[in-house]
């Protein structure tokens, strides 16, 4: 089990500039190129609750103690839940040498050494979301922040503002929704911990049950419940499910609960019953209800820890510690004469979320109608409980567990009261305008409805989904994909899905694409190509053909070199993949419909990669026979220059469908204009050409003027903001007389005298100024 818990997961580092993800090893975490050693370095580790951020931090500390990360002589690790109590104040010395570790001797000398050698110090703040609420961090106002007593927020501000230990390394772990960027002026590196792949889930479960007689049975039992197995992508959930599965098999049962709510209710039941003593059951139930109220009170304040002496009774404290709901910790003492002071923190975020939902149902002061306000899918005006993100689905699930004997014993409600709460939720969801919910709130609704396992609710929601579902930029972990798949499957509607930038895994993408009523989908090119290659390997040619027909690419915007590379991979594999389909089905088509149907392509790589990206793009442009709009204008200016213009002009004869070509703001000079002019007549369908804001002079204008009569399809030419003088303007005007097909020539240039341009406009009204 220990080896399973410590199993190494893949780390992903995110380049904030291009937003591309690259796997890294633990040893690379602190490698920050082109960074001055004398400045404080800030590293942020992102990961959903339960993804293993704390385990990673522990492993870093263990590796350091074994000689790795030798650039640090001191490593301090703080659990933010334990240091976040607002009434507690620390000096830097107390925080480092009292709270974390207390040297037996030489504290003063050690602290002085730390102050003089900040570059050798690593400070880890685990669970940054536990440190901030709705207030901003205060500025560190202490005159001597190293020695004066400050709140933990003030100390952190001093570290971030480089007033304290300037030159140290700060490592924050936090949830993706609680990024500390608003408090930290510059983050040097962002790392994301992703969950287990299906293969890693199986490996974890196998290692957990290694050596036990029912090892194979356990894996089979968990995998049979696809929804629960999808939750095993989270290491914490995987451990919970393994514990529950172990208990179920030992009791001779042959099935697991079907929802997350039922799993945790059973987990709660087994945890208490297995350790039940002669203490009256009623006392345990009362303690559980009190603990649930404490979980809610802390959760509303975005906290999970409290001073132990604030617990309402000794019985509640003993109950919480005995059954593992609480973990104890000690606060540092300001002096040796002070008494030891202890705190308690919830052992797990899932347990706190579940207890919060339990409190809302058990609390007699809450009426049925008020329960729905704690769900996260109402209008945007209402505050969602993002910090307690699992609580809404637990709340909905518990409302529909009225037949569970254990829950009934906890709630002391009769069936009539439970039915009332169900009817309240049913009425509330019936009144929702489901087709108008934003993607995040729609997903929360789907999660909650799935937890109820109410056939009526599931069908009601499925029938009211809008046909075009966009999850663009919304992370879709495996459990969300499973819920979405099961609800879409119930509907008779046809759906189009946008799954770009959703981090959906290959199994999830395959499941959604294989649905008959999903008639089209968009996803990242790399994910789609990876899926198709997998289907090709497994010889699933039927789904391969169906998924290629459903895939939509138009319009496509390339923003990074990876986008160009992915597009090249798509074109490269087209012939090979279609050959496989021909061999399998006798199909004569050798085109991917998405490639054939691409009509608009935007190119926005910026000046750093603009030319390099274009030179790669022109090699594949001929593969898009229906391309009508090629836009190379970007806010950051691609700057393809004359070399890019020449390279692009060489493929003009293949772009027979191109109607709009935008080459604005690309630093093209007369040389580039000359190369373009030579090839422009081959664009037989071109209607609009924009060369706005380049560096074209009269020689370039002369070359453009020569070919205008041959460009019979052209309707609009824009050469504004170049360096054309009255001479070039006159040449363009003379050519315009031979071009009755052109409707508009936009050529205001600061180098053309206004009187000249006005005169030319009087000669031909098609000239715009």
């Amino acid at each position: 089990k220990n080896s399973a818990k410590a199993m190494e997961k893949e780390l992903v580092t995110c380049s904030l500039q291009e937003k591309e993800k690259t796997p890294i090893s633990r040893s690379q975490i602190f490698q920050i190129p082109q960074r001055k050693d004398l400045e404080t370095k800030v590293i942020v580790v992102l990961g959903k609750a339960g993804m293993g951020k704390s385990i990673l931090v522990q492993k870093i500390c263990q590796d350091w103690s074994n000689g790795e990360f030798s650039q640090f002589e001191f490593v301090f690790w703080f659990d933010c839940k334990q240091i976040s109590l607002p009434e507690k104040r620390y000096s830097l010395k107390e925080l480092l040498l009292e709270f974390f570790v207390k040297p037996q001797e030489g504290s003063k000398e050690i602290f002085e050494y730390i102050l003089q050698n900040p570059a050798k110090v690593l400070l880890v703040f685990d669970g940054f979301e536990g440190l901030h609420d709705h207030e901003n961090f205060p500025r560190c106002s202490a005159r001597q922040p190293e020695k004066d007593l400050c709140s933990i927020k003030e100390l952190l501000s001093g570290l971030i503002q480089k007033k304290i230990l300037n030159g140290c390394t700060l490592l924050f772990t936090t949830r993706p929704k609680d990024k500390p960027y608003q408090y930290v002026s510059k983050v040097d590196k962002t790392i994301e911990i992703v969950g287990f792949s299906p293969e890693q889930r199986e490996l974890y479960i196998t290692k957990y049950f290694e050596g036990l007689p029912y090892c194979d049975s356990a894996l089979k039992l968990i995998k049979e419940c696809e929804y629960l197995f999808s939750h095993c992508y989270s290491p914490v959930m995987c451990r919970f499910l393994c514990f529950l599965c172990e208990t179920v098999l030992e009791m001779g049962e042959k099935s697991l609960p079907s929802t997350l709510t039922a799993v945790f209710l059973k987990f709660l039941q087994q945890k208490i019953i297995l350790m039940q003593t002669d203490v009256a059951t009623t006392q345990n139930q009362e303690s559980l209800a009190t603990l649930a109220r404490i979980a809610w009170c802390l959760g509303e304040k975005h906290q999970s820890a409290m001073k132990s002496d604030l617990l309402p009774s000794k019985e509640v404290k003993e109950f919480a510690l005995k059954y593992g709901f609480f973990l104890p910790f000690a606060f540092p003492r300001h002096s040796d004469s002070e008494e030891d002071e202890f705190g308690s923190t919830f052992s797990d975020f899932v347990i706190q979320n579940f207890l919060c939902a339990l409190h809302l149902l058990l609390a007699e002061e809450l009426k049925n109608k008020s329960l729905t306000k704690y769900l996260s899918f109402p209008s945007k005006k209402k505050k969602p409980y993002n910090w307690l993100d699992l609580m809404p689905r637990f709340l909905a699930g518990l409302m529909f567990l009225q037949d569970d004997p254990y829950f009934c014993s906890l709630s002391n409600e009769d069936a009539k009261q439970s039915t009332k709460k169900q009817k309240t939720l049913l009425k509330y969801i019936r009144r929702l305008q489901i087709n108008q919910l934003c993607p995040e709130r729609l997903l929360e609704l789907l999660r909650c409805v799935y937890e109820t396992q109410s056939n009526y609710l599931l069908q009601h929601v499925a029938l009211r989904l809008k046909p075009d579902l966009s999850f663009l930029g919304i992370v879709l972990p495996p459990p969300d994909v499973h819920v979405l798949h099961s609800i879409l499957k119930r509907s008779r509607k046809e759906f189009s899905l946008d799954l770009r930038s959703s981090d959906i895994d290959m199994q999830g993408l395959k499941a959604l694409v294989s649905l008959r009523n999903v008639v089209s989908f968009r996803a990242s090119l790399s994910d789609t190509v990876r899926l198709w290659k997998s289907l090709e390997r497994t010889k699933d040619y039927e789904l391969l053909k169906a998924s290629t027909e459903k895939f939509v690419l138009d319009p496509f915007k390339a923003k990074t070199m990876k986008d160009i590379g992915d597009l090249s991979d798509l074109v490269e594999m087209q012939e090979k993949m279609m050959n496989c389909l021909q061999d399998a089905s006798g199909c004569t088509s050798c085109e991917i419909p998405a490639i054939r149907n691409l009509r608009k392509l935007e190119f926005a790589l910026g000046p750093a990669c603009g030319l390099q990206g274009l030179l790669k793009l022109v090699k594949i442009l001929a593969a898009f026979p229906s391309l009508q709009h090629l836009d190379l204008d970007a806010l950051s200016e691609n700057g393809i220059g004359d070399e890019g213009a020449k390279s692009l002009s060489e493929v003009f004869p293949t772009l027979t469908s191109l109607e709009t070509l935008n080459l604005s703001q690309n630093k093209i000079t007369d040389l580039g204009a000359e190369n373009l002019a030579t090839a422009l007549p081959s664009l037989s369908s071109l209607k609009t050409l924009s060369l706005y804001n380049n560096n074209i002079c009269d020689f370039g204008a002369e070359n453009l003027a020569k070919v205008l009569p041959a460009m019979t399809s052209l309707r609009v030419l824009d050469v504004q903001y170049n360096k054309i003088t009255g001479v070039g303007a006159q040449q363009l005007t003379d050519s315009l007389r031979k071009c009755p097909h052109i409707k508009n020539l936009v050529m205001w240039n600061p180098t053309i005298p206004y009187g000249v341009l006005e005169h030319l406009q009087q000669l031909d009204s098609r000239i715009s100024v």
Side-chain angles (χ1 to χ4, degrees), residues 219-256:
L219 179 60
K220 184 181 176 185
L221 191 62
I222 295 175
K223 286 187 72 175
E224 280 176 354
C225 187
E226 292 180 12
Y227 179 56
L228 296 186
F229 184 63
S230 72
H231 273 289
C232 287
Y233 91 104
S234 164
V236 161
M237 290 292 194
C238 202
R239 177 166 52 85
F240 270 119
L241 287 166
C242 285
F243 167 82
L244 184 63
C245 184
E246 187 177 12
T247 307
V248 164
L249 289 170
E250 285 177 352
M251 295 178 68
E253 298 180 23
K254 296 183 178 180
S255 64
L256 290 172

Side-chain angles (χ1 to χ4, degrees), residues 320-537:
L321 292 172
K322 178 180 179 181
Y323 294 116
F325 297 116
F326 266 171
L327 295 175
F329 63 94
F331 291 106
R333 293 181 297 174
H334 295 309
S335 66
D336 292 335
S337 60
E338 286 188 14
E339 292 185 6
D340 289 330
E341 195 174 6
F342 296 95
S344 298
T345 180
F346 277 97
S347 58
D348 193 86
F349 82 100
V350 189
I351 290 295
Q352 186 177 2
N353 273 259
F354 186 81
L355 290 175
C356 285
L358 192 60
H359 164 72
L360 293 175
L361 280 175
L362 297 182
E364 294 179 2
E365 64 270 20
L366 287 176
K367 296 180 180 178
N368 294 341
K369 288 183 180 179
S370 64
L371 287 175
T372 54
K373 74 178 182 181
Y374 297 108
L375 301 172
S376 295
F377 43 85
S379 67
K380 291 183 179 179
K381 295 179 182 178
K382 295 185 180 180
K383 180 185 77 172
Y385 287 85
N386 283 336
W387 199 79
L388 298 168
D389 55 354
L390 291 174
M391 184 270 293
R393 67 193 85 172
F394 283 142
L395 180 60
L398 287 172
M399 285 185 186
F400 278 76
L401 282 177
Q402 63 176 25
D403 297 329
D404 187 282
Y406 182 66
F407 180 65
C408 291
S409 70
L410 288 176
S411 65
N412 294 319
E413 283 187 351
D414 56 30
K416 209 171 186 180
Q417 288 174 303
S418 298
T419 305
K420 276 186 179 180
K421 288 180 178 177
Q422 289 181 17
K423 286 182 177 178
T424 301
L425 182 61
L426 289 169
K427 185 177 179 182
Y428 176 72
I429 291 178
R430 277 200 300 265
R431 288 165 53 189
L432 278 176
Q433 292 181 304
I434 294 171
N435 60 355
Q436 293 183 16
L437 292 176
C438 66
E440 295 95 334
R441 294 175 190 274
L442 175 62
L443 277 176
E444 191 56 52
L445 171 65
L446 299 184
R447 294 172 192 135
C448 291
V449 167
Y450 190 87
E451 284 293 322
T452 68
Q453 284 297 290
S454 162
N455 284 321
Y456 170 79
L457 274 180
L458 289 165
Q459 196 66 26
H460 174 83
V461 171
L463 293 174
R464 281 156 184 80
L465 292 174
K466 58 185 179 183
D468 296 320
L469 291 174
S470 174
F471 298 99
L472 175 64
I474 307 298
V475 175
L476 289 174
D480 286 354
V481 175
H482 178 89
V483 169
L484 180 62
H485 177 272
S486 65
I487 291 177
L488 290 178
K489 197 174 180 179
R490 287 173 169 265
S491 180
R492 299 189 191 97
K493 287 184 181 179
E494 292 186 339
F495 293 100
S496 296
L497 302 179
D498 190 345
L499 306 170
R500 289 173 294 169
S501 302
S502 66
D503 289 345
I504 188 170
D505 65 15
M506 190 171 68
Q507 286 74 14
L509 182 60
K510 179 181 177 181
L512 291 177
V513 168
S514 63
L515 287 172
R516 289 186 179 180
N517 59 340
V518 171
V519 293
S520 69
F521 76 97
R522 299 200 68 162
S524 79
L525 280 178
S526 54
D527 290 344
T528 307
V529 170
R530 197 179 304 120
L531 171 64
W532 288 347
K533 286 182 177 178
S534 171
L535 295 174
E536 186 183 2
R537 280 195 306 271

Side-chain angles (χ1 to χ4, degrees), residues 24 30 131 207 224 354 406 521 593 596 721:
I24 65 169
F30 300 105
L131 280 177
K207 284 185 174 291
E224 280 176 354
F354 186 81
Y406 182 66
F521 76 97
R596 185 179 65 242
Y721 285 93

Side-chain angles (χ1 to χ4, degrees), residues 467-694:
D468 296 320
L469 291 174
S470 174
F471 298 99
L472 175 64
I474 307 298
V475 175
L476 289 174
D480 286 354
V481 175
H482 178 89
V483 169
L484 180 62
H485 177 272
S486 65
I487 291 177
L488 290 178
K489 197 174 180 179
R490 287 173 169 265
S491 180
R492 299 189 191 97
K493 287 184 181 179
E494 292 186 339
F495 293 100
S496 296
L497 302 179
D498 190 345
L499 306 170
R500 289 173 294 169
S501 302
S502 66
D503 289 345
I504 188 170
D505 65 15
M506 190 171 68
Q507 286 74 14
L509 182 60
K510 179 181 177 181
L512 291 177
V513 168
S514 63
L515 287 172
R516 289 186 179 180
N517 59 340
V518 171
V519 293
S520 69
F521 76 97
R522 299 200 68 162
S524 79
L525 280 178
S526 54
D527 290 344
T528 307
V529 170
R530 197 179 304 120
L531 171 64
W532 288 347
K533 286 182 177 178
S534 171
L535 295 174
E536 186 183 2
R537 280 195 306 271
T538 56
K539 294 184 167 50
D540 191 348
Y541 297 125
E542 186 178 347
L543 181 55
L544 177 59
K545 185 174 185 298
S547 61
T548 58
E549 290 172 351
K550 293 179 181 182
F551 180 60
V552 175
L553 185 62
D554 183 57
F556 182 75
K557 185 171 185 177
K559 295 188 285 188
T560 67
M561 283 299 294
K562 182 178 183 300
D563 291 335
I564 301 296
D566 290 343
L567 197 61
S568 298
D569 289 344
L570 184 70
V571 172
E572 188 180 323
M573 73 171 291
Q574 177 176 235
E575 185 175 349
K576 178 185 175 184
M577 189 174 70
M578 290 302 123
N579 284 340
C580 291
L581 291 181
Q582 287 178 42
D583 296 341
S585 61
C587 176
T588 56
S589 171
C590 59
E591 291 181 318
I592 297 175
I595 292 179
R596 185 179 65 242
N597 297 329
L598 179 66
R599 286 172 171 77
K600 184 176 182 180
L601 175 56
E602 294 181 67
F603 182 91
L605 268 68
C609 301
L611 177 59
Q612 179 189 357
L614 182 75
L615 294 178
K616 191 170 184 178
L617 176 66
V618 294
K619 295 177 182 177
I620 59 170
L621 280 178
F624 306 104
S626 303
L627 186 65
Q628 296 177 349
H629 189 148
L630 181 58
D631 190 348
L632 274 74
D633 182 14
L635 288 175
S636 57
E637 299 189 13
N638 292 309
I640 65 169
D642 294 335
E643 185 181 349
K646 181 177 184 297
S647 181
L648 182 62
S649 65
E650 290 171 356
V651 298
F652 279 174
T654 65
L655 304 180
T656 54
S657 300
L658 194 67
E659 296 180 355
T660 301
L661 176 60
N662 189 349
L663 295 172
S664 302
Q665 306 187 106
N666 271 295
K667 299 181 179 178
I668 297 171
T669 70
D670 283 345
L671 180 60
E674 183 181 15
N675 287 318
L676 287 170
T678 305
L680 278 170
S682 63
L683 293 174
S684 56
S685 302
L686 190 67
K687 294 179 179 179
T688 302
L689 172 63
S690 177
L691 290 162
Y692 168 89
N693 197 17
N694 280 287

